[in-house]
Amino acid sequence: MQERQPGRGRLAGILGMLAITASAVLGVRSLPTHAASEYATVTDARLTDATKDDGWLMYRRTWDSQGYSPIDQITAANVSGLKPVFTYDTGLKQGHEAPPIVNGRFMYVTTPLDHLIALDAVTGKVLWKYVHVIPPVALKTICCDVVNRGVALYGDNVYMETLDNHVIAFDAQTGKIVWNKALKPPGVGYAMTAAPLAIEGGKIITGIAGGEYGGRGFIAALDAKTGDLLWKFQTVPAPDQPGGNTWKPGMYKTGGGSTWLTGTYDAETKTLFWGVGNPGPWLADLRPGSNLYTDSVVALDPENGKLKWYYQYTPHDTWDYDSTSEQILADIPYNGSTVKALIHADRNGNVYALDRATGKFLWAKPFVKATSVVGFKDGQAVTDPKARPHLGTSIFTCPSFLGGTNWYPPSYNPDTHMLYLPSNEWCMTMKGVGTDYKAGLPYLGESFKVVPQPGTDGFGVFQAIDMSNGKRVWSYDTKFPCNGPALATAGGVVFTGTLDQKFLAFNDKTGKILWSYKTSSGIVGVPITYKVDGKQYVAVFAGYGGATPLWAPATKTDDIPTGGRLYVFALPGSN
Ligand code: CA
């Protein structure tokens, strides 16, 4: 149970304490601690200690992006008994990717098209709902479905990004708008789809999408109280900035480098880590140079947004291998000792371990067939020139531009050092066709076709990787592409969802399926777990959509039913 802060909900808090006293007198062992009307302020201390919280306070639960919960009431031995406690239908047909964010009994979910709903995390009762009005011009320049990946919590507010590039703060209890800031105009190729990241000192950190439109990416810090811009880091440097000489004159303005997923924060070293997307245009021949800081992780000082270090996963990318997915902080065994690492599974098909203090390369290994980035020399990725398309010529390479993995987050168990990674074995033909920049239109210069990896009969592989040596320990082949984010828990269970409507629980050591539940649609939602009044719940959205059905027609997913439904499960009778 979290210590409640004074201020908001004080009266409700007092009533809650009276209820606890009454229950204690009656000898009730597990106490009803959180009435739905009392909201526990999200303080720096709670965020710093989020691993111990009963809730799920941010996108990947903790600042290190491990997406792991130490809550262990649901175990490999009893998970087969999970039953739905409640469901909630959103009435929307597009991709539902967001994790529910839970603080006490308050649950916040976002849906496609930027709806935000506050629910009671025990009963499913709707507390309030906000529907963002998106100008039609914004919807014309969004590359990959109209998704929203969830909220951030700080103080007594909830923060959401929108497809027309607003960041909005809401009162967590009432849904009243506290502030609303636009970071870019709609219609010129930018969009915001990630969950913001709230860090200590009251900073709301956001990225932006737009790499397919030549949008110049940035990472921005806003004041949690006012929405005022504190700093902005441009991921593609101007000529007079460090790294600016890695671009042909003028091209930085349309150089891509979007930042469309949530980053990671290290409170120990006060460092923010953020993954950066592809350079624009896609066809590398049109933009000579190494094109920093595209396809990189950047380590920033959260006080001022200044660059501490960077590491580029794919130099001079021509395959749309965004490096936006999780930059996970983990202490892993390495050369006989433990190293404070940053681990990252990249779209280029390699999983990396870096020294997170310096960005120094430790090791990298392919987790699927990788024929574009084929090796490493002096800590730098080596690309195969034969895998590079040129104007008028085609190549065949793996993974496809959709990546060996993509936005769907893996989960890392810090006790066993296992990474649970949704991945895909798909390849592509890619041809250089040329392009000119025009605001609001795709800026690619390449055509492409995604196909299964030759010799495989499917696409998707949910796999467990031992991060002490980079080896695959077990894997599960999915019928359709593997788009299901992962949740590992201390109960020895790993959860994920599949496009063929299964919510699955695996034994985390062996990969044995312990439980399977048929959902109303395919699952691309991030599963989470939380505890209220001593009882553990597991929650996930079903609601197929996202980039796969748009860009991978060969995957034959047309028959998967769509429609968003939130599922919350628990063990019957416990507590
Ligand atoms: Ca991209």
Side-chain angles (χ1 to χ4, degrees), residues 154-196:
Y154 191 82
D156 295 319
N157 290 346
V158 180
Y159 302 86
M160 177 173 77
E161 300 178 4
T162 70
L163 292 164
D164 59 341
N165 310 313
H166 287 243
V167 182
I168 308 176
F170 302 86
D171 181 297
Q173 290 196 101
T174 65
K176 186 168 170 268
I177 291 178
V178 178
W179 53 258
N180 178 352
K181 294 275 172 176
L183 296 192
K184 281 282 176 189
V188 291
Y190 291 99
M192 294 177 83
T193 53

Side-chain angles (χ1 to χ4, degrees), residues 212 278 282 320 322 347:
E212 277 52 70
N278 63 282
W282 282 12
D320 187 30
D322 298 58
R347 256 157 85 160

Side-chain angles (χ1 to χ4, degrees), residues 17-33:
M17 283 191 284
L18 291 174
I20 290 167
T21 309
S23 301
V25 169
L26 295 171
V28 177
R29 201 162 58 86
S30 296
L31 307 175
T33 51

Side-chain angles (χ1 to χ4, degrees), residues 25-246:
V25 169
L26 295 171
V28 177
R29 201 162 58 86
S30 296
L31 307 175
T33 51
H34 291 276
S37 58
E38 57 181 303
Y39 186 83
T41 300
V42 176
T43 59
D44 285 352
R46 285 187 68 198
L47 290 176
T48 306
D49 242 0
T51 190
K52 294 180 190 152
D53 205 283
D54 280 353
W56 188 282
L57 296 179
M58 66 186 89
Y59 181 62
R60 295 309 289 143
R61 192 171 190 277
T62 44
W63 280 330
D64 55 24
S65 288
Q66 292 185 350
Y68 165 82
S69 174
I71 300 173
D72 60 359
Q73 196 176 86
I74 295 165
T75 66
N78 65 22
V79 67
S80 63
L82 278 184
K83 298 273 187 283
V85 176
F86 68 84
T87 60
Y88 171 77
D89 287 357
T90 69
L92 294 160
K93 296 286 189 189
Q94 298 88 352
H96 287 65
E97 298 185 349
I101 302 298
V102 179
N103 176 22
R105 266 182 87 151
F106 287 80
M107 171 186 280
Y108 302 93
V109 294
T110 59
T111 72
L113 295 167
D114 299 333
H115 298 198
L116 166 57
I117 303 121
L119 304 154
D120 183 312
V122 173
T123 65
K125 183 186 166 207
V126 174
L127 305 174
W128 55 265
K129 183 175 176 181
Y130 169 80
V131 177
H132 191 61
V133 177
I134 305 165
V137 68
L139 296 174
K140 280 186 190 159
T141 57
I142 293 165
C143 86
C144 312
D145 203 358
V146 289
V147 300
N148 185 299
R149 298 193 181 88
V151 300
L153 305 179
Y154 191 82
D156 295 319
N157 290 346
V158 180
Y159 302 86
M160 177 173 77
E161 300 178 4
T162 70
L163 292 164
D164 59 341
N165 310 313
H166 287 243
V167 182
I168 308 176
F170 302 86
D171 181 297
Q173 290 196 101
T174 65
K176 186 168 170 268
I177 291 178
V178 178
W179 53 258
N180 178 352
K181 294 275 172 176
L183 296 192
K184 281 282 176 189
V188 291
Y190 291 99
M192 294 177 83
T193 53
L197 181 71
I199 65 167
E200 57 188 331
K203 293 187 182 70
I204 305 300
I205 318 289
T206 76
I208 197 152
E212 277 52 70
Y213 295 85
R216 186 184 176 209
F218 60 82
I219 299 151
L222 308 180
D223 185 307
K225 279 203 177 77
T226 63
D228 291 346
L229 182 69
L230 301 173
W231 54 256
K232 198 175 192 180
F233 173 82
Q234 295 284 356
T235 57
V236 176
D240 60 344
Q241 294 173 323
N245 60 357
T246 65

Side-chain angles (χ1 to χ4, degrees), residues 468-529:
S468 66
N469 55 26
K471 286 188 182 149
R472 189 188 284 193
V473 178
W474 58 259
S475 64
Y476 169 78
D477 290 349
T478 59
K479 181 180 169 190
F480 294 119
C482 183
N483 288 187
L487 165 66
T489 74
V493 185
V494 179
F495 294 92
T496 193
T498 67
L499 296 190
D500 57 340
Q501 299 169 258
K502 290 181 197 140
F503 190 43
L504 296 172
F506 296 91
N507 179 307
D508 66 356
K509 288 176 191 65
T510 64
K512 186 185 170 203
I513 293 177
L514 303 170
W515 175 71
S516 175
Y517 185 88
K518 174 99 186 267
T519 49
S520 55
S521 175
I523 295 176
V524 293
V526 180
I528 62 123
T529 189

